Amino acid sequence: MAVALDTPVPEFVVQATSGQQVSLSALKGKQVVIYFYPKDSTPGCTTEGQGFRDQYSAFQAANTVVFGVSRDSLKSHENFKCKQEFPFELISDPDEALCQLFDVIKLKKLYGKEYLGVDRSTFLIDKEGVLRQEWRGVKVPGHVDAVLASAQALNKG
């Protein structure tokens, strides 16, 4: 079953860059931003990641950790993270478990062909593990600023 606004996000344990294992329960007490993107090192995904990188200290000041998620391998993620100097970890979701939990796999079209791909989406989880905000079908320009503003407001609340 997919997550729903204002309900607790089910526990998950996933593999991330830097040899880390990320579990939601271990993040209790911090706000969590999880942003799903289609593919490492593509123009839109790079721009989005750079936005989160450039605002990372502001997210930290708002007691918020950031994770990027795609179906790419950890090796691909490590290269992408290193090249772009991302200060946050990237989660590899090759079996789409996290993608399914957040319901971000959608039918897409490219050059007339249909395929299942990751719908660019971002989720904000509060300190208690409850989903407080979601952005689906994200357009990159201005998106990181909107997420940061929500994280700051939630942290003050």
Side-chain angles (χ1 to χ4, degrees):
M1 190 177 87
V3 297
L5 276 175
D6 299 321
T7 62
V9 175
E11 171 65 9
F12 59 81
V13 179
V14 289
Q15 296 303 313
T17 47
S18 304
Q20 291 202 12
Q21 198 172 44
V22 176
S23 72
L24 187 59
S25 57
L27 297 168
K28 201 168 182 84
K30 289 203 175 290
Q31 296 179 162
V32 181
V33 165
I34 300 177
Y35 77 94
F36 289 84
Y37 62 95
K39 192 145 184 57
D40 287 346
S41 302
T42 55
C45 301
T46 299
T47 302
E48 185 179 24
Q50 289 168 338
F52 280 108
R53 175 196 68 199
D54 296 347
Q55 295 280 19
Y56 188 69
S57 60
F59 278 102
Q60 283 186 304
N63 191 34
T64 305
V65 292
V66 175
F67 295 99
V69 183
S70 82
R71 299 181 295 184
D72 293 302
S73 69
L74 282 172
K75 185 176 191 305
S76 173
H77 276 353
E78 291 289 2
N79 292 338
F80 186 40
K81 181 183 172 207
C82 181
K83 186 174 181 187
Q84 298 302 326
E85 298 178 355
F86 293 157
F88 50 86
E89 304 305 333
L90 299 177
I91 294 170
S92 177
D93 192 29
D95 61 0
E96 298 179 359
L98 215 51
C99 289
Q100 302 278 342
L101 178 64
F102 285 89
D103 191 29
V104 298
I105 301 293
K106 301 292 177 202
L107 193 60
K108 298 174 127 190
K109 267 190 177 167
L110 185 65
Y111 306 120
K113 294 212 184 306
E114 289 189 336
Y115 67 98
L116 287 173
V118 173
D119 185 39
R120 191 182 307 278
S121 306
T122 302
F123 300 87
L124 176 60
I125 301 167
D126 74 10
K127 296 176 212 154
E128 300 302 316
V130 175
L131 180 62
R132 291 300 176 194
Q133 200 145 5
E134 62 181 21
W135 294 263
R136 294 181 181 274
V138 166
K139 301 289 181 253
V140 174
H143 175 62
V144 172
D145 293 334
V147 175
L148 178 58
S150 291
Q152 289 168 330
L154 185 60
N155 191 48
K156 285 187 183 113

